[in-house]
């Protein structure tokens, strides 16, 4: 059954971040739509046949942990890298 869920994340700074998040999450099998709201620090994901933890783990690996998790310096640095990649890919 298709589900849509809003996941609040840390380290979301700009549309470069949003671009990276959308591109990377869409690579996961079972995800049909990703919308990122930079103002709300939210990722809205529509998915089916994939566990929510797979989605949050992918976000975590990109440097955007769920806002309930500890947000350490390493993850902040990872998110800056993902942010820059997203900005470069947008041009």
């Amino acid at each position: 059954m298709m589900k849509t869920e809003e996941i609040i994340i840390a380290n979301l700074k700009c549309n470069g971040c949003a671009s990276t998040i959308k591109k990377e999450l869409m690579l996961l099998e079972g995800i049909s739509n990703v919308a990122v709201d930079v103002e709300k620090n939210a990722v809205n994901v529509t998915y089916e046949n994939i566990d929510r933890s797979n989605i949050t783990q992918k976000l975590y690996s990109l440097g955007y942990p769920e806002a309930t998790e500890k947000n350490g310096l390493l993850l902040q640095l990872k998110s800056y890298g993902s942010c820059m990649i997203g900005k470069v890919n947008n041009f």
Side-chain angles (χ1 to χ4, degrees), residues 9-14 17 21 41 59-60 62-65 67 70-80 83:
I9 59 172
N11 301 332
L12 181 56
K13 297 167 199 65
C14 65
C17 297
I21 290 168
N41 296 314
L59 287 166
Y60 183 90
L62 291 170
Y64 305 100
K70 188 171 183 238
N71 186 15
L73 182 60
L74 179 62
L75 286 172
Q76 288 180 21
L77 292 174
K78 264 189 166 176
S79 74
Y80 284 117
C83 175

Side-chain angles (χ1 to χ4, degrees), residues 18-33:
S19 173
T20 297
I21 290 168
K22 183 170 183 162
K23 182 172 104 14
E24 293 295 323
L25 286 184
M26 288 300 292
L27 294 175
L28 294 176
E29 195 167 325
I31 294 184
S32 60
N33 190 47

